[in-house]
């Protein structure tokens, strides 16, 4: 064999060795990444599998759906309603205290979050932010909900007018009706945004009463925002209004109707 041929073969062997060492390096890196991933789970309870296995005597373990799946499903629902739970700007830290009204809203909402664990099973376990348009009622209601979702408290978002309209459009579908009503009746916490917005008739009141009365009877908390004063809320329907008021009595903020309290006009 000539010298030239020998040189070619030597170079080829070197290249092969380099390639395989590069492959080994990449494989090792992948393994490390996998190892790291395994030590930091989003959910430690199910290790991101979505299932919790409960050992059974003389039987296959029971597979229970993990709570984190429900939270993820719920977050998808929020996204569907136009609120990105992870990136929403409606947080407490983005809520400026710029006048007396914003100070009252923020303090009350923050106190509600702090005390929630203690009061959640009480008669007065809810919060009502009502009055002046643009004063930050929705902003703070969502801030409370985001806070709860972080603690895995399952808050369902109910944009009042959209939801009521959709329920009424599908009223003849009994199965749909019962399913939707049950969702708002039984969820852990319900956020009703913009209560009594738009034209109201008897069927709006009936739907709302079914939801509110169930939550009232079962001591299930509500977070309510509405542009109306307490008196107006009571005048629409005393049955609904007085239940909401009683549930939220310890955390009611009524913002005086005054354009100076409208952040949008600031
Ligand atoms: N104190 C505040 N600091 C920062 N942003 C605020 C504040 N108050 C209101 N905003 C912002 O102003 C806009 C209007 O607020 P929001 O929607 O919460 O008002 P609202 O009281 O719910 O009004 P409406 O009665 O029309 O529903 C939002 O974009 C909100 O983020
Ligand atoms: Mg609002
Ligand atoms: Zn889980």
């Amino acid at each position: 064999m000539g010298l030239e041929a020998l040189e070619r073969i030597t170079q080829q062997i070197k290249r092969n060795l380099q390639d395989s060492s590069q492959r080994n390096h990449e494989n090792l890196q992948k393994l490390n990444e996998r190892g790291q991933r395994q030590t930091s789970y989003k959910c430690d309870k199910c290790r991101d599998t979505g299932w919790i296995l409960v050992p059974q005597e003389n039987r296959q373990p029971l597979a229970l759906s993990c709570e984190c799946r429900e939270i993820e499903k719920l977050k998808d629902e929020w996204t569907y309603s136009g609120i990105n739970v992870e990136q929403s700007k409606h947080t407490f830290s983005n809520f400026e205290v710029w006048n007396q009204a914003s100070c009252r809203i923020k303090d009350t909402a923050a106190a509600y979050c702090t005390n929630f664990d203690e009061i959640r099973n009480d008669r007065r376990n809810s919060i009502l932010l009502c009055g002046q348009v643009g004063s930050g009622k929705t902003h703070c209601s969502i801030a409370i909900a985001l806070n709860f979702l972080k603690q895995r408290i399952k808050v369902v978002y109910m944009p009042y007018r959209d939801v009521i309209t959709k329920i009424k459009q599908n009223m003849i579908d009994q199965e749909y009706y019962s399913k939707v009503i049950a969702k708002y009746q039984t969820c852990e916490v319900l956020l009703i945004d913009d209560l009594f917005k738009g034209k109201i008739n008897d069927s709006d009141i009936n739907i709302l009463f079914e939801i509110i009365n169930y939550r009232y009877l079962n001591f299930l908390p509500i977070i309510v925002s509405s542009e109306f004063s307490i008196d107006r809320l009571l005048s629409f329907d005393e049955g609904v209004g007085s239940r909401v008021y009683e549930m939220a009595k310890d955390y009611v903020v009524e913002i005086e109707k005054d354009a100076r309290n409208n952040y949008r006009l600031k």
Side-chain angles (χ1 to χ4, degrees), residues 45-240:
K45 275 191 185 167
C46 68
R47 301 185 170 197
D48 297 346
T49 62
W51 296 98
I52 296 172
L53 296 178
V54 185
Q56 303 285 300
E57 241 179 85
N58 308 324
R59 262 190 302 148
Q60 296 260 2
L62 193 66
L64 295 179
S65 173
C66 183
E67 193 185 28
C68 69
R69 293 178 113 199
E70 281 173 58
I71 296 275
E72 287 307 314
K73 246 200 310 196
L74 202 58
K75 283 182 183 170
D76 289 346
E77 269 185 46
W78 278 77
T79 309
Y80 188 71
S81 306
I83 299 162
N84 184 327
V85 170
E86 316 291 349
Q87 287 159 20
S88 173
K89 293 198 166 60
H90 293 105
T91 58
F92 281 119
S93 49
N94 284 339
F95 193 81
E96 220 180 296
V97 173
W98 63 287
N99 59 8
Q100 213 200 358
S102 58
C103 179
R104 274 169 55 219
I105 295 191
K106 192 174 186 175
D107 282 356
T108 309
Y112 181 68
C113 282
T114 309
N115 300 335
F116 185 72
D117 238 9
E118 247 171 77
I119 60 153
R120 59 181 301 168
N121 298 312
D122 297 350
R123 171 76 289 146
R124 299 179 184 179
N125 59 3
S126 303
I127 181 166
L128 168 63
L129 307 174
C130 65
Q132 175 61 44
V133 165
S135 58
K137 305 177 303 284
T138 296
H139 186 130
C140 268
S141 305
I142 292 174
I144 297 169
L146 297 178
N147 200 294
F148 284 179
L149 285 168
K150 264 199 198 123
Q151 301 172 58
R152 295 190 171 208
I153 299 167
K154 296 188 235 28
V155 190
V156 167
Y157 181 66
M158 177 182 173
Y160 168 80
R161 182 41 51 197
D162 296 352
V163 169
I164 293 282
T165 305
K166 194 157 177 220
I167 293 177
K168 286 199 294 190
Q169 282 164 352
N170 294 285
M171 210 104 171
I172 31 170
D173 184 346
Q174 192 59 44
E175 200 180 321
Y176 172 86
Y177 182 83
S178 319
K179 210 174 125 189
V180 175
I181 295 284
K183 176 170 105 179
Y184 298 119
Q185 282 176 326
T186 60
C187 60
E188 200 170 352
V189 177
L190 178 65
L191 193 174
I192 307 177
D193 194 22
D194 245 336
L195 177 64
F196 286 136
K197 177 93 187 164
K199 269 207 180 113
I200 317 160
N201 60 27
D202 280 353
S203 56
D204 300 57
I205 301 283
N206 289 338
I207 294 167
L208 201 57
F209 186 81
E210 269 197 71
I211 296 168
I212 298 287
N213 190 45
Y214 184 95
R215 300 193 70 85
Y216 178 83
L217 293 174
N218 291 284
F219 294 76
L220 293 167
I222 48 177
I223 301 165
V224 181
S225 96
S226 175
E227 67 182 74
F228 299 105
S229 64
I230 296 163
D231 281 349
R232 282 295 295 287
L233 289 176
L234 288 167
S235 74
F236 288 125
D237 184 77
E238 209 173 316
V240 171

